[in-house]
Amino acid sequence: MGILKDRFKAKADEMTVEIKNLLKEHGNKTIGEVHLSQVYQGMRGITGLVSETSLLDAQEGIRFRGYSIPELREKLPKAKNGDEPLPEGLFYLMVVGDLPSTEEVNHVTEIFQRRSHVPNHVFAAIDALPLETHPMTMYVIGVMALQTESYFAKAYAEGINKKDYWLPTFDDTILLIARLPRIAAYIYRRKYKNNQHINPNGLLDWAGNFAHMLGYDDESFMELMRLYMTIHADHEGGNVSAHATHLVGSALGDPYLSYAAGMNGLAGPLHGLANQEVIKWIFEMQEELKTDLPTNDQIAGYVQKTLSEGKVVPGYGHAVLRKTDPRFTAQMEFAKKHIPDDPLVKTVWNIYETVPPILQSLGKIKNPWPNVDAHSGALLVHYGLVEYEFYTVLFAVSRSLGVLASLCWDRALGLPIERPKSVTTELVKKWLEGKDEIWGE
Ligand code: HAX
């Protein structure tokens, strides 16, 4: 692990000094003002976190260390004969801050390959759950069962010096990422493939091996997994999964506790679970309309019905983005290249033509455009991965790259416990009457 750890430490030491000076000189500058409505409405738009690995622009979409998704698809090293970026390269970029060479990416792949063994008690914990258990529940329980392996928890119990926290956090991060595809594939094969498990192939890259263990050895599916694992990895720090990981980690919860907390957040239908909801919604529409390829008029009618029942249209809208998500576009490009005639993919594109004007006409939705989850399921269904309750687990495996890279940075920069101030409505009313003050701690 030498190169990766050494380079991370060198960068983190540089940044620590830089931030210290920056705060000394500018710590009292005001970043923005907070409106009472924001306090009640999900803290939307309040800048209150630092996350080094990526930054989200409302118009442009996500940039990882300054690189957009199209740039990463061009610049990150690929598998032999492949066109899509290897997610190990994105992990290197998020951890170290620089684009990796092919050699550096191969080094990360080898690190993961050598550490992918999952102890039996993790499988036993998953096996103890009824088969009907949702795959995300099984996944988080698997992660928690693996917490017995935490270097950070052991080091803390033994009284580690706070300046060294980053080291066992880093070691836990690498081990967790190396093992997560095995846990996820175990859940998939247990629940959907009659418990017929597939051993890892130690010669494959991280995402290729994941595809193999799921039971998909088709090169084009492996390419999809490489793209999927890259584009779902990170979306700056304020989204529920990243924020929950950071929050729990800020109390010095080890990476297993922190990541599991984040993935419990990802399992909410307004966040990562939206990927299963999209396909469920499309399947239900097809069934109700009795066609595999509904017309745009039929889709419009079904959207109106969904809205009239007080439900959201899954896969559309975003708390920060105000344009089509570039992660949607990347998947659309993949589909145009590999599977342009797939009827479900065509339906996803027809929905893309139909939904935004309808949502826009409601006047209250800030972003009528599709997010990442609007497209991912249709690609998976094409290759035979039709069990949509499993989709959020795929997202969770990918998200480990970003949230755990960020946790390493949190520890290296010595970020403190997170504790924003809350108020009661009683206090707000007194403050509005001028009888009391609202102050920060
Ligand atoms: N369908 C119907 N109504 C929607 C909507 C949608 N797709 N998106 C937003 N709205 C509604 C909101 O529910 C809200 O209604 P009320 O005022 O009646 O409560 C109103 O429009 C304003 O919401 P907003 O400010 O535009 O959006 P928020 O920042 O509050 O919420 C969400 C952002 C992503 C949660 C929202 O757009 C949504 O529920 N979308 C559908 C679910 C989804 O696709 N989630 C995945 C998001 C991406 C992600 O995290 N992936 O993992």
Side-chain angles (χ1 to χ4, degrees), residues 44 270-272 274 307 312-319 364-366 371 373 395:
R44 204 73 82 258
L270 295 190
H271 189 20
L307 294 170
V312 295
V313 179
Y316 282 77
H318 201 274
K364 67 170 183 178
I365 296 175
K366 297 192 191 65
N371 57 57
D373 300 313
F395 195 156

Side-chain angles (χ1 to χ4, degrees), residues 41 44 232 235 239-241 266 268-275 277-278 306-307 310-322 325 327 355 359 362 364-369 371-374 395 399:
Q41 289 163 356
R44 204 73 82 258
H232 287 79
H235 219 221
N239 67 76
V240 172
S241 54
L266 191 76
L270 295 190
H271 189 20
L273 203 84
N275 61 6
E277 295 300 296
V278 167
T306 302
L307 294 170
K311 299 184 209 160
V312 295
V313 179
Y316 282 77
H318 201 274
V320 180
L321 271 171
R322 295 295 175 255
D325 191 334
R327 301 172 297 175
V355 166
L359 294 185
L362 299 180
K364 67 170 183 178
I365 296 175
K366 297 192 191 65
N367 178 37
W369 303 104
N371 57 57
V372 64
D373 300 313
F395 195 156
R399 191 46 60 109

Side-chain angles (χ1 to χ4, degrees), residues 287-317:
E287 204 179 307
E288 189 164 316
L289 300 172
K290 297 187 178 32
T291 168
D292 281 350
L293 202 56
T295 63
N296 287 12
D297 279 350
Q298 286 176 309
I299 294 170
Y302 197 75
V303 169
Q304 295 293 3
K305 177 174 176 276
T306 302
L307 294 170
S308 71
E309 288 167 352
K311 299 184 209 160
V312 295
V313 179
Y316 282 77

Side-chain angles (χ1 to χ4, degrees), residues 52-55 63-67 93-98 409:
E52 304 291 352
T53 46
S54 65
L55 185 67
R63 278 185 181 266
F64 300 83
R65 297 282 190 180
Y67 295 99
L93 176 67
M94 289 189 289
V95 167
V96 176
D98 302 325
W409 274 97

Side-chain angles (χ1 to χ4, degrees), residues 137-429:
T137 309
M138 293 193 194
Y139 182 73
V140 173
I141 284 171
V143 171
M144 284 318 305
L146 194 57
Q147 192 254 0
T148 50
E149 310 292 293
S150 173
Y151 291 115
F152 184 87
K154 283 189 198 88
Y156 195 85
E158 286 162 12
I160 186 175
N161 188 313
K162 57 159 71 168
K163 71 175 173 29
D164 296 325
Y165 285 164
W166 72 274
L167 196 60
T169 302
F170 195 93
D171 291 339
D172 277 350
T173 289
I174 298 294
L175 264 177
L176 242 176
I177 295 175
R179 291 166 168 186
L180 291 172
R182 178 88 171 100
I183 296 177
Y186 185 88
I187 292 165
Y188 181 69
R189 303 290 305 180
R190 173 178 184 248
K191 189 169 163 82
Y192 303 112
K193 303 290 170 185
N194 220 13
N195 240 337
Q196 305 286 302
H197 297 288
I198 298 172
N199 283 328
N201 177 345
L203 299 174
L204 286 170
D205 55 283
W206 186 71
N209 187 37
F210 186 23
H212 163 73
M213 289 187 290
L214 288 168
Y216 300 88
D217 281 310
D218 177 60
E219 188 49 43
S220 134
F221 184 82
M222 288 192 181
E223 280 287 273
L224 174 62
M225 271 303 103
R226 291 172 190 131
L227 175 67
Y228 189 111
M229 292 293 132
T230 300
I231 62 177
H232 287 79
D234 207 32
H235 219 221
E236 76 169 33
N239 67 76
V240 172
S241 54
H243 192 187
T245 306
H246 166 78
L247 173 66
V248 172
S250 83
L252 293 185
D254 62 59
Y256 295 81
L257 293 165
S258 311
Y259 171 69
M263 295 312 104
N264 279 314
L266 191 76
L270 295 190
H271 189 20
L273 203 84
N275 61 6
Q276 81 164 41
E277 295 300 296
V278 167
I279 282 300
K280 186 167 166 251
W281 182 81
I282 296 177
F283 284 168
E284 284 169 359
M285 170 169 69
Q286 288 175 335
E287 204 179 307
E288 189 164 316
L289 300 172
K290 297 187 178 32
T291 168
D292 281 350
L293 202 56
T295 63
N296 287 12
D297 279 350
Q298 286 176 309
I299 294 170
Y302 197 75
V303 169
Q304 295 293 3
K305 177 174 176 276
T306 302
L307 294 170
S308 71
E309 288 167 352
K311 299 184 209 160
V312 295
V313 179
Y316 282 77
H318 201 274
V320 180
L321 271 171
R322 295 295 175 255
K323 281 271 166 70
T324 296
D325 191 334
R327 301 172 297 175
F328 177 92
T329 312
Q331 296 179 87
M332 196 168 171
E333 283 168 7
F334 182 95
K336 280 183 182 159
K337 180 172 162 197
H338 293 269
I339 49 171
D341 299 322
D342 183 281
L344 188 59
V345 164
K346 281 203 169 140
T347 298
V348 164
W349 297 347
N350 290 342
I351 293 170
Y352 181 31
E353 281 175 19
T354 313
V355 166
I358 299 177
L359 294 185
Q360 216 146 20
S361 71
L362 299 180
K364 67 170 183 178
I365 296 175
K366 297 192 191 65
N367 178 37
W369 303 104
N371 57 57
V372 64
D373 300 313
H375 209 309
S376 54
L379 296 172
L380 296 165
V381 169
H382 175 86
Y383 290 98
L385 211 162
V386 295
E387 301 88 354
Y388 54 73
E389 279 198 345
F390 186 73
Y391 292 174
T392 312
V393 176
L394 296 174
F395 195 156
V397 173
S398 165
R399 191 46 60 109
S400 69
L401 299 172
V403 300
L404 290 171
S406 270
L407 194 66
C408 289
W409 274 97
D410 292 353
R411 291 284 155 81
L413 298 176
L415 298 187
I417 189 162
E418 188 175 290
R419 186 20 175 125
K421 177 86 187 85
S422 71
V423 288
T424 59
T425 301
E426 200 48 42
L427 180 67
V428 168
K429 286 194 291 192

